[in-house]
Amino acid sequence: MKNRYIASFEAAQIAEKQIPQFKAGDTVKLGVEIKEGEKKRIQLFEGIVIARSGNGVDATFTVRKIGANSIGVERIFPLYSESLKSFEVVRKGRVRRAKLHFLRGLKGKAARIKELKK
C-alpha cells in the first residue's frame, strides 16, 4: 500500500504526459532525448513493441528494431520517462500474444506482423 503523498505525486506525473493507446505488436516511433556532454539532441527509434509490463508510473515497454547488418536492437523504455520527447503509433499489429519474444529468433519476412485492419 502506497503512501497517499507518493500516490498523489505519481498521479501528477501521469497526468502531465500524453501517451497514445498501444499494445504489443504495434510499430511505434519514439523521439528519445540523448545527452552528449553539454549537447542534447533527439534521436528517433522506430520498432515493434514486443512487451509491456508494470502499471502506473512504473510501467515499461520493450521496443525491438532491426539495425544495420540485420542485427536486432532492443530497448526498454519507462512509459513516463522525461527522455521520451515524442511518441507516435505508426501502425497497429494483429497479434494473439501479450509478449512477442519469439520474434528474437525470426529473421526477414518471417518476423513480420500483419497489420490490424478496421
Side-chain angles (χ1 to χ4, degrees), residues 75-95:
R75 285 188 68 180
I76 299 171
F77 295 99
L79 191 58
Y80 295 101
S81 172
E82 292 295 320
S83 64
L84 280 180
K85 296 301 179 187
S86 65
F87 194 107
E88 178 188 350
V89 177
V90 178
R91 52 183 281 220
K92 296 277 190 182
R94 188 179 68 113
V95 293

Side-chain angles (χ1 to χ4, degrees), residues 22-113:
F22 71 101
K23 60 180 179 52
D26 294 350
T27 303
V28 294
K29 188 185 291 186
L30 306 168
V32 183
E33 184 179 68
I34 294 177
K35 203 171 167 183
E36 295 171 335
E38 298 294 317
K39 296 181 191 174
K40 291 181 183 177
R41 66 185 176 89
I42 295 177
Q43 182 177 19
L44 292 178
F45 191 89
E46 183 174 351
I48 298 173
V49 177
I50 62 169
R52 282 188 73 166
S53 62
N55 54 12
V57 177
D58 301 329
T60 61
F61 61 101
T62 306
V63 180
R64 179 178 174 85
K65 78 172 184 176
I66 303 299
N69 299 328
S70 300
I71 295 174
V73 178
E74 287 185 14
R75 285 188 68 180
I76 299 171
F77 295 99
L79 191 58
Y80 295 101
S81 172
E82 292 295 320
S83 64
L84 280 180
K85 296 301 179 187
S86 65
F87 194 107
E88 178 188 350
V89 177
V90 178
R91 52 183 281 220
K92 296 277 190 182
R94 188 179 68 113
V95 293
R96 295 166 60 179
R97 286 166 179 40
K99 309 280 194 240
L100 305 177
H101 297 300
F102 65 89
L103 288 177
R104 293 173 177 162
L106 301 178
K107 291 184 179 179
K109 287 188 176 182
R112 288 183 300 178
I113 292 179

